[in-house]
Amino acid sequence: MQHHEYREIVIFWDYENLPLPSWFKNTPDASRRIHNAVSKYGRIVDRRLYLDSTKWNNQKTFDRSSFDMSGFDLVDTPTRGYGKTKKELLDKKIIVDILTFAWDSAVRSRQSGSGGSPCVVLISSDGDYSYMLSKLRDRGIMSIVMH
């Protein structure tokens, strides 16, 4: 059995697909709930929120500083292209970042002898990630999807 205290966790939030629901009191409340839900599986080493900031700059529902103060790295993914390509750019960036984290964390774990496998937390309701998550699970990478 692997030790959870050695497991590295990174949270990847597809904000374009799943923005903060209006029923949350505030950003720190959402961050705290996410932390409480996943921290039992290991140590959170990074939190990333992906969005096109030009879409959210004038929206009252998005407070950049609150997300920043809650520990999220804001990954600005400007929209390029037309049609379906717009959405896929953000998805592809998340996929590459998840795979990079999983690979790097697994290598660190093997080198240190800690034996803990990484954990990917994806906040999204987009089914485009399911194949990648399935392949990661096949390789022993824990994945949690919040939607």
Side-chain angles (χ1 to χ4, degrees), residues 91-106:
D91 292 358
K92 288 175 183 175
K93 188 175 248 186
I94 290 174
I95 288 169
V96 168
D97 286 354
I98 287 174
L99 293 175
T100 301
F101 160 69
W103 176 268
D104 290 348
S105 182

Side-chain angles (χ1 to χ4, degrees), residues 41-99:
Y41 299 107
R43 185 174 59 90
I44 299 171
V45 295
D46 201 1
R47 302 170 194 198
R48 300 179 188 168
L49 186 139
Y50 295 78
L51 78 160
D52 179 354
S53 64
T54 60
K55 293 180 182 178
W56 297 93
N57 279 344
N58 298 323
Q59 305 254 345
K60 293 180 183 177
T61 58
F62 185 74
D63 181 4
R64 293 178 64 87
S65 63
S66 289
F67 279 102
D68 184 57
M69 289 188 303
S70 294
F72 281 93
D73 291 330
L74 303 179
V75 182
D76 191 10
T77 308
T79 302
R80 296 184 302 246
Y82 300 97
K84 187 173 166 65
T85 316
K86 290 181 184 180
K87 185 180 178 312
E88 289 178 358
L89 291 171
L90 189 137
D91 292 358
K92 288 175 183 175
K93 188 175 248 186
I94 290 174
I95 288 169
V96 168
D97 286 354
I98 287 174
L99 293 175

Side-chain angles (χ1 to χ4, degrees), residues 6-55:
Y6 298 117
R7 180 174 284 150
E8 292 182 345
I9 300 172
V10 173
I11 300 167
F12 299 88
W13 188 342
D14 180 353
Y15 202 82
E16 295 289 311
N17 179 265
L18 197 63
L20 186 67
S22 60
W23 50 266
F24 269 109
K25 294 180 216 170
N26 52 43
T27 305
D29 180 46
S31 180
R32 187 173 32 263
R33 287 181 186 217
I34 294 165
H35 179 273
N36 291 342
V38 302
S39 62
K40 61 186 167 192
Y41 299 107
R43 185 174 59 90
I44 299 171
V45 295
D46 201 1
R47 302 170 194 198
R48 300 179 188 168
L49 186 139
Y50 295 78
L51 78 160
D52 179 354
S53 64
T54 60
K55 293 180 182 178

Side-chain angles (χ1 to χ4, degrees), residues 119-138:
C119 176
V120 169
V121 176
L122 177 63
I123 302 174
S124 180
S125 60
D126 189 342
D128 292 345
Y129 300 111
S130 60
Y131 181 73
M132 173 200 57
L133 293 172
S134 174
K135 289 299 187 180
L136 287 174
R137 282 191 297 271
D138 289 348

